[in-house]
């Protein structure tokens, strides 16, 4: 029985826990409320990870770029494009959430009396990013200040060079330990989801389940719009290239990303498609794509926008303009620190909810359909990596436009071979 349990994929365990929790809540009634501590324990474990995980992984991501002097120009362009497209993605997600109202009518807040924390103005928020006391920021969990300090520390370690090699090694080792701890915590997700969903369904009924379909539709619609308008438009207007060739050239990577839900696992296929089908030079692809797999999370950011609005609406919390700006800013900056981590979508969502004072119990509602959402957002993440590599190569005159314009649509047999390579 234990071996059989180990063989079941995590996403199936979580989805099964969601269904069982809903069944338990509706059948056991008020007795199911006793299961809530299981969910509370999982939420506390998630909270425990946030500060050290963001801080350490962000510092490690910065210090991993050794040759900054040689790739300074490309690096700045890459960072700027990744952050801009991520900000656009989260804005689209928020817009779709506001327009379609996936959480409207659920009224979870009527039983919990949840209230939003007052958010400071946008100018004050930007000024407060610079921390006066990093230790205090870490202790208090001020995410924006932690991100800023981590960026400054990572850059300083690189500038110090050989003198800071032991500090660099420490953070690399520390990040590996945090990855492992995150792995452990995520394994408890089915238990936590079961406990929270049993409590939710016992307290509020089956309206929550009916609302999840609307969340899925909103996320997928947002992903499609972002890919076609932002990415396709960027290639057409900035690179002056036909976006149809771009989508033909990377559909192999998109397919693998959709089925494996792993940007890192798709990286070999993405690199092959970008170099051989799009004509991007190997040096540009080798720098931009791995960096994108680490910090570029367009699809995940868009998902944060939809889910944050969903949770706010479900708990009856009104978000003002400054809170929407906080969500955009936090999601954009946090994408650097949480990408590549198992369960990154849920970790990043917890950051967003914490920043604007939304209840973390909303994570359990989203977790049950996270795999379905992950398929779409991973495909968008990989597409964004490829688009940025193309724009960088074009700006650096390292794009072979003959290859780009002559490449043909993919062949299904090639996709099957590529998928087999990934599994191997």
């Amino acid at each position: 029985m234990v071996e059989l349990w180990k063989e079941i994929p995590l996403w199936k365990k979580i989805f099964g826990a969601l269904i069982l929790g809903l069944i338990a809540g509706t059948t056991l009634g008020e007795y199911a409320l006793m299961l809530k501590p299981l969910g509370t324990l999982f939420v506390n474990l998630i909270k425990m990870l946030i500060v050290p995980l963001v801080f350490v992984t962000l510092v490690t991501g910065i210090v991993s770029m050794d040759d900054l002097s040689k790739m300074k120009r490309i690096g700045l362009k890459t960072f700027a494009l990744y952050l801009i497209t991520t900000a656009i993605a989260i804005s689209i997600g928020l817009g779709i959430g506001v327009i379609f109202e996936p959480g409207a009518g659920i009224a979870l807040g009527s039983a919990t009396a949840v209230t939003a924390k007052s958010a400071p103005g946008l100018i004050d928020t930007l000024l407060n990013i610079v921390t006066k006391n990093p230790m205090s920021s870490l202790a208090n969990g001020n995410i924006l200040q932690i991100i800023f300090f981590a960026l400054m520390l990572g850059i300083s370690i690189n500038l110090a060079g050989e003198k800071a090699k032991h500090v660099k090694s420490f953070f690399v080792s520390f990040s590996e330990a945090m990855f492992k701890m995150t792995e452990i915590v995520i394994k408890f997700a089915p238990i936590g989801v079961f406990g929270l969903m049993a409590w939710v369904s016992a307290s509020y009924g089956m309206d929550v389940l009916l609302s999840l379909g609307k969340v899925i539709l909103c996320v997928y619609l947002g992903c499609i719009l972002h890919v076609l308008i932002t990415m396709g438009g960027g290639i057409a207007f900035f690179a002056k290239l036909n976006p149809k060739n771009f989508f033909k050239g990377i559909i192999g990577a998109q397919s693998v990303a959709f089925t494996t839900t792993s940007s890192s696992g798709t990286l070999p296929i993405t690199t092959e498609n970008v170099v051989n089908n799009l004509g991007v030079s190997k040096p540009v692809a080798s720098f931009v794509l791995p960096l994108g797999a680490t910090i570029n999370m367009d699809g995940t950011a868009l998902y944060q926008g939809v889910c944050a609005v969903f949770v706010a609406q479900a708990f009856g919390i009104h978000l003002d303009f400054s809170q929407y700006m906080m969500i955009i800013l936090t999601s954009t900056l946090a994408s650097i620190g949480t990408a590549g981590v198992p369960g990154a979508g849920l970790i990043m969502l917890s950051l967003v909810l914490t920043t604007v004072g939304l209840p973390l119990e909303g994570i359990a509602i989203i977790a049950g359909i996270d795999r379905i959402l992950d398929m779409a957002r991973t495909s968008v993440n990989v597409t964004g990596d490829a688009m940025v590599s193309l724009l960088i190569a074009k700006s650096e005159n390292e794009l072979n436009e003959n290859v780009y314009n002559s490449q043909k649509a993919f062949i299904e047999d090639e996709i099957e071979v590529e998928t087999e390579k990934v599994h191997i």
Side-chain angles (χ1 to χ4, degrees), residues 84-405:
I84 290 171
T85 55
T86 299
I88 294 173
I90 182 70
S91 301
I92 291 175
L94 289 172
I96 287 179
V98 170
I99 294 172
F100 291 97
E101 300 183 333
I106 300 178
L108 297 181
S110 59
T112 58
V114 178
T115 57
K117 299 176 183 177
S118 58
L122 181 59
I123 299 300
D124 290 336
T125 299
L126 294 176
L127 292 176
N128 289 334
I129 288 177
V130 181
T131 177
K132 298 175 182 177
N133 185 342
M135 295 302 104
S136 175
S137 300
L138 290 167
N140 295 326
N142 191 315
I143 300 300
L144 294 178
Q145 292 183 355
I146 292 170
I147 290 174
F148 178 81
F149 179 66
L151 286 170
M152 292 294 293
L153 181 58
I155 293 171
S156 300
I157 291 172
N158 272 339
L159 293 176
E162 187 68 16
K163 294 179 180 179
K165 65 178 182 179
H166 296 301
V167 180
K168 178 179 179 179
S169 298
F170 166 77
F171 277 104
V172 171
S173 300
F174 196 176
S175 67
E176 290 300 322
M178 288 307 305
F179 290 152
K180 185 56 64 176
M181 185 183 295
T182 304
E183 240 179 70
I184 295 171
V185 170
I186 294 299
K187 287 181 180 179
F188 286 95
I191 299 175
V193 168
F194 172 76
L196 282 176
M197 290 309 298
W199 165 70
V200 166
S201 60
S203 301
Y204 313 117
M206 294 299 292
D207 288 341
V208 175
L209 179 62
L210 298 176
S211 70
L212 296 182
K214 201 169 183 180
V215 174
I216 295 173
L217 291 176
C218 286
V219 170
Y220 272 70
L221 174 62
C223 288
I224 293 171
L225 292 176
H226 184 58
V227 167
L228 294 180
I229 298 175
T230 305
M231 299 180 187
I235 292 169
F237 290 105
F238 294 105
K240 306 299 182 182
L241 296 169
N242 187 343
K244 290 183 179 180
N245 288 348
F246 170 76
F247 293 120
K248 288 179 182 178
I250 64 162
I251 199 164
Q254 289 176 321
S255 301
V256 173
F258 189 81
T259 54
T260 63
T261 65
S262 172
S263 298
S264 299
T266 311
L267 187 57
I269 309 303
T270 309
T271 304
E272 189 276 337
N273 283 178
V274 165
V275 173
N276 295 336
N277 295 348
L278 302 185
V280 175
S281 69
K282 288 184 178 179
V284 170
S286 298
F287 174 79
V288 176
L289 294 178
L291 187 61
T294 305
I295 69 171
N296 184 41
M297 299 181 73
D298 286 8
T300 306
L302 189 149
Y303 150 92
Q304 309 304 319
V306 174
C307 292
V309 174
F310 166 76
V311 172
Q313 292 170 348
F315 281 87
I317 299 173
H318 173 72
L319 297 176
D320 57 29
F321 179 76
S322 64
Q323 288 173 307
Y324 284 123
M325 293 299 100
M326 283 283 285
I327 292 174
I328 294 173
L329 186 59
T330 303
S331 298
T332 302
L333 295 179
S335 67
I336 301 174
T338 55
V341 179
L346 294 179
I347 297 292
M348 194 170 165
L349 181 57
S350 68
L351 294 179
V352 173
L353 298 183
T354 299
T355 301
V356 292
L358 294 174
L360 288 179
E361 285 79 5
I363 294 176
I365 303 173
I366 301 299
I369 55 172
D370 190 63
R371 170 73 182 199
I372 299 173
L373 303 179
D374 201 5
M375 297 169 77
R377 65 180 187 242
T378 302
S379 298
V380 174
N381 291 344
V382 168
T383 304
D385 296 344
M387 181 205 70
V388 171
S389 70
L390 177 67
L391 295 182
I392 296 296
K394 175 70 173 181
S395 68
E396 295 292 321
N397 294 319
E398 293 196 33
L399 177 69
N400 188 331
E401 294 193 30
N402 291 329
V403 173
Y404 181 88
N405 292 323

